[in-house]
Amino acid sequence: MKIGIGNDHSAVDMKNEVVDYLLSLGHEVVNFGTDTYESCNYPVYGKAVAEAVRDGKVDCGICICGTGVGISLAANKVQGIRAVVCSEPYSAKLSKQHNNTNVLCFGARVIGIELAKMIIDAWLGAEFEGGRHATRVGMIMDIENEKFGE
Ligand code: RB5
């Protein structure tokens, strides 16, 4: 898989460990930064990853900030993006099976690298189940496209 990754200054070390992990699993990684500890603005990186997912330049995205919250909010503002913040594997797996999430986010100040790896495994290993879940995800996208209820 080709995976885009982005982060702010709080998550540089975790990002590097996640990249090493993804490469060890045989994935291709596109790094959208940041790569320095200098204070920066997480929306820049959430947007970059999300746009790459939207445009099909990567298959999916992983975004990390201090909590995972800010960067997920930014990613979710890009058309077609369903970003989820997870601190445990169960929600990560279900977010793919039921919600067809395409960007995974977590917080470098919330979880450690080993839990992050378990969350990544759960998310990458799961598949969207479609069916009734496709109807519901379609309704979410209708809200985004201002077609809900039409
Ligand atoms: C940066 O200090 C912090 O606000 C950011 O990493 C993130 O946690 C925001 O949601």
Side-chain angles (χ1 to χ4, degrees), residues 64-117:
I64 321 168
C65 64
T67 59
V69 174
I71 203 160
S72 71
L73 292 174
N76 270 318
K77 294 297 179 188
V78 174
Q79 195 93 10
I81 296 306
R82 292 174 300 279
V84 61
V85 192
C86 288
S87 298
E88 37 73 31
Y90 179 77
S91 299
K93 178 180 174 181
L94 268 289
S95 82
K96 181 73 77 63
Q97 291 179 333
H98 290 191
N99 315 115
N100 202 15
T101 49
N102 47 18
V103 176
L104 173 68
C105 308
F106 43 82
R109 293 172 177 161
V110 179
I111 62 170
I113 185 61
E114 295 308 323
L115 186 50
K117 288 178 186 175

Side-chain angles (χ1 to χ4, degrees), residues 82 95-101 128 131-143:
R82 292 174 300 279
S95 82
K96 181 73 77 63
Q97 291 179 333
H98 290 191
N99 315 115
N100 202 15
T101 49
F128 182 48
R132 68 187 189 281
H133 303 298
T135 304
R136 294 161 187 167
V137 172
M139 291 171 76
I140 294 172
M141 304 325 287
D142 283 350
I143 296 172

Side-chain angles (χ1 to χ4, degrees), residues 5 10-11 13 19 30 37 44 49 60 67 150:
I5 192 161
S10 70
D13 292 341
V19 168
V30 181
Y37 300 115
V44 171
V49 172
C60 61
T67 59
E150 283 181 15

